[in-house]
Amino acid sequence: MASIAHELAKNQKEISVSEFFEKNKQILGFDSLTRALITSVKETVDNSLDACEDASILPEILVKIEKMDNTEYKLTEEDNGPGIVKAQVPNVFARLLYGSRFHTRAQRRGQQGIGVSAVVMYSQLTTGKAATVRSKISDEDTAYECDLILDTKKNRPERLREDRVIWDREHGTSIQVHLKGKYMGGKQSVFEYLKGTAIVNPHAKITFVPPEGVPIVFERASDQVPPPTKPVMPHPEGVELGELLSMAKYTESLKMTSFLSSEFSRISNRVAKEVCELAGVPPEQRPTKLTLEQAGAVLEAMKKVRIMAPETDCLSPIGETLIRKGLKNVLGDVKAEFYAPPITREPKVFAGNPFIVEVGIVYGGELSKEEPVQILRFANRVPLMYQQGACATTQAIENVDWRRYGLEQRGGHGIPFGPAIIMVHLASTKIPFTSESKEAVANIPEIKEEIELALKACARRLKTHLNKAEKKSKAKVKFEIVQDIIPMIAEKSAKIVGKPVPELSGTITKIMNVVWIDDEVSYEKKRHHVLVRIYNYTPKSQGFHLHMVVPFDKIDPKSLELQPLEVRDGNKVTWDIKRVSSTEEFQLKFDLTGLSQEEYGENEVYVSGIDAASVIGVDVLPGDWDLEHLKITGELPVDEGAAAEEGEEEDVDYDEGAEVIKDEE
Amino acid sequence: MKNSERHQNAVDKLTGIAQEVYDQLDGGKIPKMMIPLRTKSNIRFDSKAAVWKYGKAMGARSAKKLTGAQMLLRTMYMLEFIEDMIKDSKSSTLREMYYISEGWPKAKFSAQDESNMLAEDLEIITGCMREDFKLRPEEDGARVMGNITIQETDRKGKKKKINCRDDVGDSGYGVPYNVEKEKIEFVDSDADFIIAIETGGMFDRLVENKFDEDAHAVVVHLKGQPARSTRRFIKRLNEEMKLPVVTFTDGDPWSFRIHASIAYGAIKTAHISEYLATPTAEFVGITASDILNYELPTDKLNDKDIQALNAEKTDPRFKDEFWKHEIDLMLEIGKKAEQQALAKYGLDYVTDTYLPEKLGQLGILK
C-alpha cells in the first residue's frame, strides 16, 4: 500500500488525482461496470462495519441499488454506526488517502484510506453527480447532510451544499452516490458479496434492496460484537527499507531512539540504543535525517538484536462457534447434512505480522455432487471475490489430498469435487495481497502452511462424520437383513416344507456379529438430551469402555444414571459398560444444560477394550485421545478396515461377480 | 418322463431347496445356496457333447449380504409360486412372473433380467428345465423359409402339416416357443443346409432373391441373439434331418457371440448347452478378412466394441486359430461392417457372388 501512497504523494503536484484514478482503475477495483458496482458496495459496507465495531455497536446495514437508466445506478448505503463529526465528513468521504491507519497496524477491513473516497471519485467521474452524505452522532438532535465532490486537482473535498436535517435514528451514517455500473447475478455479484459478508459478520444485520425483486435480509445470528481490535506498531521483523525511510520522514519523534521505540512494537529504549549502536547511527540523530545507507544498517541491526516475537492479541478471529452460526444462518437453504466444526488456529507470524487462519466446511444437502467444491475466501472479515486461482487460499486447498477426507479429487491435487463449501478466513494486521486490488492473498509460505493445516484439521472432522455416516448405513443394511428379510425367509421356507418357523437368534447374531452403537442428540427447552443405545448382536455377552467428548460440568447430574469411570480434561468422559448379554440392549442417557443448540451439535463417541471389527456405529478410541484430540492435524491413515472386512468371505459371492455373462450388447 | 412326472420331480427338487434353507436357519447358521459360477472362466469344453458347459467352480448366495439375502427370499417366493402353478395346472410367461413379484414385499425384482436369471439359477440347481416349472418365454417370432415340411400340434391339439416355403407367406414360418417333439415333428425336407441369418433385412433379401430355392437352403432369421427355441429348433433340424448349419451375421464382436451361442453354447445357458448348441455349425461371415477382401463399407469400432473384442480374446470358446486371427485382425483394422454392406455391389451380389464363394470354401455349395 505504501507504494501507492508514495506515488500519489509524488504525483499530486504534477498530475491530477483523476488522472491517477484513471490509471489505477484496476488496482482500485473499478475496471469493469460490474466490478465498479460491487467495489462501491464493498468499500461503503467495509467502512460501516469498521465504524460499528470501533464503537461496539451491533451493525444494521442497508444497501439499496436503484437503476436510473441503462448504465446509471443509484447506490444508497446506510449504517447505525457512531456517526462522523461534521468537520471530518468531507475528509472521510472526499479525500483520497485520508485516514489514520497508515503506519499503525490493526486487523481492519479497510487497510488504507483509499476506499470510500474512491467511490465518490468514481461516481463523480462517471456521472458528474455529487455524493450525498448524511451523518448523525448520538449527542446531536439533527443530522448533518452535505453534497460532496472532490477537487481532483488538489485532492481536497468541496462542499456543494450543507444542511442540518431531521433523521429519525439515534446515530448513523448514510451515503448516496450515482455511478455507472452493471448489476448482475452469479458468483461475482453484489448479492454474493453481501452473503459472504453476512457469513463472516454474524453480528451484523444486512438488508439488501436489489434493483428489481424483493429485499433480502440477512438476519443477525449473534449478539456478540467482536471485541475492538487493538492497533499495533509494526514489528521490526517485517519492515522493508522503503517503509522504514518513509516512517522516519513522517515521524514526530526527534531522536532515533525514541522513533524506534515509539513506532515499532517490541522495541524498548534499551533495544533501540542497541540497534543504533550496532548500526553505527547516533542515537540522538533526527530521524528525518536518516540516509539510505543508515536505514539499511538499522534494518540489519534489527535482525541481529534479539527482539521478542510480535504480540498476537491484536487479532480478532471470528471463532469456531460464530463461524458455524454464520454459515448455518446464511447457507440454511442448502439444507446441509453436516457443518464440520470449524477450526480457528493459534496465531502465527509472517514478516513481523501476526495472523490467524480459520476454516469451516459445509457438506451435503442440496450441494451438487458433480461440481467442484465452492470456495469462500475471506480476509479480515471481507469476502474476496476475484482472482480465486491466484490466491494462496486456493493453492492451499489444491495442495491437500482431499481423497483422504471423503471428497473426489483427480490425482490427489487440485480443487476437489463434491457437495461441499470450504470457507477460509485469514485475519491479520497486514494481509499480504498479490496486488493492490486486494483480491488474492499472496503465496507466503507461513500463511499457506497454516491454511493447509487448518484445512486438514477441519477435513478430518468431516471425515469422522462421513465414516460415521457410512458405518451407520452399513449397520442399517444389516438390520434390514436380520429384522425383515431373514424372518421372511424363515416363514416362507417353513411354509414350503410344512414345519414350524425356526428360532432365529443364532442366525441373526452370526450375520450381525457386532455390537451396534447408535447415538442421538436432541434439543428442547434449553436441554440437550443425549442417548447412546448399545445393542449386543453377537453370540456372547460383551463388556467394554465407552468414551465421549462432552463438557462434563454441563451434564445434569440428576439425569446421569451410570456414573463415569473417569473424566479427563473436563470433557473426556469414560464409562465402564460392564456387561451386555447377547441380543440385549443397554442405554446410556444424560442431559446437558446451559449450552446453546449450536454448541453441542453431534456426539463424539468412541469405544475401547473391544475389537474394532465387532463394533459398528462408532469408532474405536483414536490413538491421540491422550494428546488432546482436537488439536491433531496430521494426515489420516487410509482406511483399510473396509477391505479387510470384505476379505473374510470364504466363498466367492455368486451375485456380485463383475463379469457380464450375457452375449448380447 | 411324462409331463406329470416331470412336474412332480420339479416340485420335489424345489422343496429340497427350501428344506436346505430351513435346516440352516433351524441350526442357527447363515443360510446360503451354492451355485456353479456362470462366468466365462468357469466354462469347460465337454468333448463328448462337443459343447461348452459350466465347470466346477461354485459361488455362494449368502444371507450375510443384502443382495444375497434378497435373492434367497426371492427364491422362496418363486418356489412357492411355481409349486402353486403346478398344483393349479397353470403356467406363466417369464414376463408375467416378473410382474407377479410386484406383490412380494422386500423381494420385488428390479428388472426382468433378474427374474429370468433366477429362473435359470433354479434350472441349474435342480437340473430341470424352466418348462418343468411352468415358465415360458414370450413368442419371439424367429422366422423360417425353405423347403421343409413340419407337423405342428396346434393349441387345440390338432396336428397340421406345414411346408415352410409353400404353405407360408413371405415372412416365413414362425418358430413357437416350444419346439419339442410333442409340439413339432419334422416330416420331410428337400434342403441341403440351414443358413441362420442375424438381421431381418438380410433374411428378406435372401427370400426375395429366392436363395432358398436356388441354393436348396433353409433360411432362418435369428433376430439378433437367438432365443432358446430358435437354437433348439436349429439343433433338432441339424440332428434329425442331417442338415449342416451355417451362420451369417454382421461383422462385429457381438455377432461373433451370436455364432458362439449357436455353435458352442452361450455362457448364460451353459447348463443346457448340449440341448441347445449345434457344434458343427460354421461361420460364413462377415469376418474381418471379408471386410478387407470384399472392400466393404465400414464403421469405426467404438469403445464398447473394442472391450468386447478384448473380452473375446480370453473367452475359451474363441480360442481356435480362426477366431484368434479374425479378432486380432478386426482390432488391427479398427473397423466393423454390417452384412447388408454387401449391397455396395448390387442387390444380387450377396446371393450371386458372396454366399456362393464363401459357402463354396466351406464345402457346402459346390
Side-chain angles (χ1 to χ4, degrees), chain A residues 477-478 480-481 484-486 488-497 499-504 506-508 510-511 646 648-656 659-665, chain B residues 18-19 21-22 25-26 28-32 35-36 38-40 59-61 63-67 69-73 76-77 79-80 83 105-106 113 121 225 254 257 266-268 317:
Chain A
V477 167
K478 289 209 168 184
E480 194 185 341
I481 296 175
D484 300 331
I485 298 177
I486 292 289
M488 288 166 86
I489 295 175
E491 191 194 316
K492 284 279 160 199
S493 65
K495 191 176 159 208
I496 294 168
V497 301
K499 287 184 186 157
V501 178
E503 208 275 312
L504 295 174
T507 303
I508 288 174
K510 276 206 187 70
I511 289 178
E646 302 299 319
E648 70 190 28
E649 192 88 279
E650 69 280 5
D651 299 318
V652 178
D653 191 306
Y654 182 74
D655 293 301
E656 288 180 10
E659 202 180 312
V660 179
I661 62 164
K662 281 186 283 181
D663 279 319
E664 299 108 73
E665 194 167 352
Chain B
Q19 184 68 53
V21 169
Y22 181 90
L25 285 170
D26 200 36
K29 292 188 187 128
I30 300 174
K32 70 174 180 191
I35 314 169
R38 295 162 69 185
T39 59
K40 83 180 167 199
R61 171 168 282 162
K64 205 169 187 174
K65 295 216 179 122
L66 186 61
T67 328
Q70 278 173 333
M71 288 308 284
L72 285 176
L73 181 56
M76 294 303 121
Y77 274 110
L79 298 184
E80 195 184 28
E83 294 197 10
K106 299 268 171 201
D113 263 0
D121 290 343
Q225 186 58 244
W254 315 98
R257 293 178 188 196
I267 297 175
K268 196 164 167 281
R317 299 175 300 169

Side-chain angles (χ1 to χ4, degrees), chain A residues 238 359 578:
Chain A
V359 166
K578 284 210 176 68

Side-chain angles (χ1 to χ4, degrees), chain B residues 258-292:
Chain B
I258 290 177
H259 173 74
S261 79
I262 289 179
Y264 317 134
I267 297 175
K268 196 164 167 281
T269 53
H271 56 299
I272 42 176
S273 283
E274 48 182 306
Y275 173 86
L276 297 177
T278 308
T280 54
E282 299 263 15
F283 187 62
V284 175
I286 307 288
T287 60
S289 310
D290 287 343
I291 292 178
L292 297 178

Side-chain angles (χ1 to χ4, degrees), chain B residues 159-229:
Chain B
K159 288 183 194 302
K160 277 180 187 164
K161 273 194 183 150
I162 302 167
N163 179 280
C164 296
R165 186 182 70 200
D166 301 335
D167 300 339
V168 296
D170 288 351
S171 60
Y173 167 73
V175 178
Y177 72 84
N178 179 3
V179 294
E180 293 311 311
K181 280 215 169 71
E182 75 251 17
K183 178 80 180 167
I184 283 177
E185 282 183 276
F186 300 125
V187 181
D188 192 18
S189 150
D190 182 33
D192 293 337
F193 67 101
I194 299 164
I195 181 163
I197 315 280
E198 178 179 354
T199 65
M202 187 50 77
F203 175 85
D204 291 339
R205 168 61 39 225
L206 263 55
V207 170
E208 192 180 299
N209 290 5
K210 299 199 181 65
F211 186 73
D212 56 321
E213 291 186 34
D214 297 348
H216 292 257
V218 177
V219 186
V220 179
H221 174 210
L222 297 172
K223 276 196 138 186
Q225 186 58 244
R228 281 192 192 183
S229 60

Side-chain angles (χ1 to χ4, degrees), chain A residues 383-617:
Chain A
L384 305 181
M385 310 288 289
Y386 291 87
Q387 298 180 25
Q388 175 167 302
C391 189
T393 302
T394 312
Q395 287 156 10
I397 289 174
E398 290 171 345
N399 275 350
V400 173
D401 184 350
W402 290 94
R403 296 172 304 183
R404 292 168 180 273
Y405 305 105
L407 293 176
E408 279 175 37
Q409 190 184 34
R410 281 169 211 139
H413 190 86
I415 294 180
F417 282 65
I421 298 174
I422 299 173
M423 184 216 119
V424 181
H425 179 223
L426 172 66
S428 176
T429 51
K430 185 184 179 188
I431 305 276
F433 288 109
T434 53
S435 71
E436 317 275 339
S437 67
K438 300 198 283 175
E439 290 293 352
V441 175
N443 191 345
I444 308 282
E446 292 93 326
I447 292 183
K448 207 158 113 184
E449 191 193 332
E450 271 298 293
I451 298 175
E452 275 186 45
L453 288 172
L455 286 167
K456 283 177 186 166
C458 196
R460 204 173 125 107
R461 293 172 170 187
L462 171 65
K463 181 63 177 167
T464 304
H465 164 79
L466 292 177
N467 280 346
K468 201 166 157 181
E470 193 195 327
K471 283 193 176 163
K472 275 197 173 164
S473 82
K474 269 191 192 163
K476 251 176 87 181
V477 167
K478 289 209 168 184
F479 263 88
E480 194 185 341
I481 296 175
V482 301
Q483 287 183 330
D484 300 331
I485 298 177
I486 292 289
M488 288 166 86
I489 295 175
E491 191 194 316
K492 284 279 160 199
S493 65
K495 191 176 159 208
I496 294 168
V497 301
K499 287 184 186 157
V501 178
E503 208 275 312
L504 295 174
S505 64
T507 303
I508 288 174
T509 53
K510 276 206 187 70
I511 289 178
M512 296 291 287
N513 198 24
V514 284
V515 172
W516 188 57
I517 300 180
D518 185 30
D519 66 274
E520 56 181 63
V521 51
S522 57
Y523 183 77
E524 57 167 0
K525 292 181 188 146
K526 300 194 171 173
R527 290 174 84 88
H528 288 84
H529 302 290
V530 176
L531 174 61
V532 182
R533 289 192 160 102
I534 300 160
Y535 304 89
N536 180 1
Y537 281 113
T538 69
K540 298 180 296 195
S541 56
Q542 300 284 350
F544 51 90
H545 284 175
L546 187 111
H547 314 266
M548 290 183 77
V549 180
V550 58
F552 189 69
D553 57 334
K554 303 287 195 242
I555 295 181
D556 175 4
K558 276 177 287 186
S559 68
L560 186 63
E561 286 162 17
L562 182 67
Q563 288 309 312
L565 192 69
E566 171 189 270
V567 180
R568 229 187 276 183
D569 304 339
N571 68 348
K572 292 174 187 165
V573 189
T574 301
W575 284 272
D576 184 16
I577 309 296
K578 284 210 176 68
R579 184 188 155 91
V580 185
S581 307
S582 175
T583 70
E584 296 279 304
E585 178 189 344
F586 176 83
Q587 295 191 350
L588 175 71
K589 282 191 282 198
F590 56 84
D591 288 355
L592 297 172
T593 57
L595 291 174
S596 71
Q597 185 166 6
E598 284 79 18
E599 282 174 286
Y600 191 84
E602 200 174 56
N603 294 312
E604 221 178 308
V605 187
Y606 303 99
V607 290
S608 65
I610 184 166
D611 177 24
S614 40
V615 181
I616 46 176

Side-chain angles (χ1 to χ4, degrees), chain B residues 247-252 256 283-298 322-323 325-327 329-330 333 335-342 344-345 349-350 353-359 361-362:
Chain B
T247 53
F248 178 29
T249 67
D250 286 341
D252 66 40
F256 297 169
F283 187 62
V284 175
I286 307 288
T287 60
S289 310
D290 287 343
I291 292 178
L292 297 178
N293 295 339
Y294 292 89
E295 294 175 7
L296 295 178
T298 54
F322 169 78
W323 283 117
H325 173 71
E326 290 298 335
I327 291 166
L329 185 59
M330 185 166 280
I333 62 177
K335 302 268 173 55
K336 59 183 177 180
E338 292 184 5
Q339 48 185 179
Q340 294 184 66
L342 289 162
K344 173 185 177 187
Y345 302 109
Y349 185 78
V350 60
T353 309
Y354 176 78
L355 283 175
E357 278 181 16
K358 296 284 293 192
L359 291 169
Q361 285 162 22
L362 294 171

Side-chain angles (χ1 to χ4, degrees), chain A residues 45 48 73 84 93 113 140 167 192 222 249 290 301 335 385 430 442 481 533 538 547-548 604 608 615 635 656:
Chain A
V45 169
S48 291
Y73 288 85
I84 301 163
F93 287 96
E140 288 175 357
W167 200 18
E192 286 298 319
S222 155
K249 193 170 170 193
L290 193 71
K335 298 192 179 66
M385 310 288 289
K430 185 184 179 188
I481 296 175
R533 289 192 160 102
T538 69
H547 314 266
M548 290 183 77
E604 221 178 308
S608 65
V615 181
E635 299 277 345
E656 288 180 10

